[in-house]
Amino acid sequence: MEKELYQVVAYIALRNKDGSPMISVPLYVKVTELNKNGMTDAQESVMHRISEIMIKQYDKQISEYIASLKSE
């Protein structure tokens, strides 16, 4: 029997009256196959998009830090 694969796509949670989240529950989708890197194509795509955003943010923070050092 072939092992079924699932991927978390979101978490849902109800909120308490004060707005704080209650226990969250993951939502899954069934995955049909993994690519050569051991991920689904969707996982790999998301990983690349997040990495790109993080690199831009870190580059901005480093540039601002270097500029602050030069101005001192």
Side-chain angles (χ1 to χ4, degrees):
M1 183 169 135
E2 187 176 327
K3 182 179 176 183
E4 292 183 341
L5 302 171
Y6 293 88
Q7 177 179 348
V8 175
V9 293
Y11 288 88
I12 60 168
L14 298 175
R15 294 203 174 263
N16 292 310
K17 290 183 180 184
D18 66 357
S20 62
M22 296 171 71
I23 194 164
S24 60
V25 178
L27 299 176
Y28 294 90
V29 293
K30 191 173 183 179
V31 177
T32 55
E33 62 183 55
L34 301 177
N35 64 21
K36 66 181 180 179
N37 296 321
M39 296 183 274
T40 65
D41 290 338
Q43 283 175 314
E44 192 158 13
S45 174
V46 168
M47 181 187 69
H48 287 291
R49 288 188 309 213
I50 291 171
S51 297
E52 183 179 331
I53 292 167
M54 290 175 66
I55 288 169
K56 286 179 184 177
Q57 182 63 31
Y58 290 143
D59 185 49
K60 178 183 174 195
Q61 289 175 344
I62 290 169
S63 296
E64 289 172 355
Y65 176 71
I66 291 171
S68 74
L69 290 177
K70 287 180 180 179
S71 67
E72 291 178 359

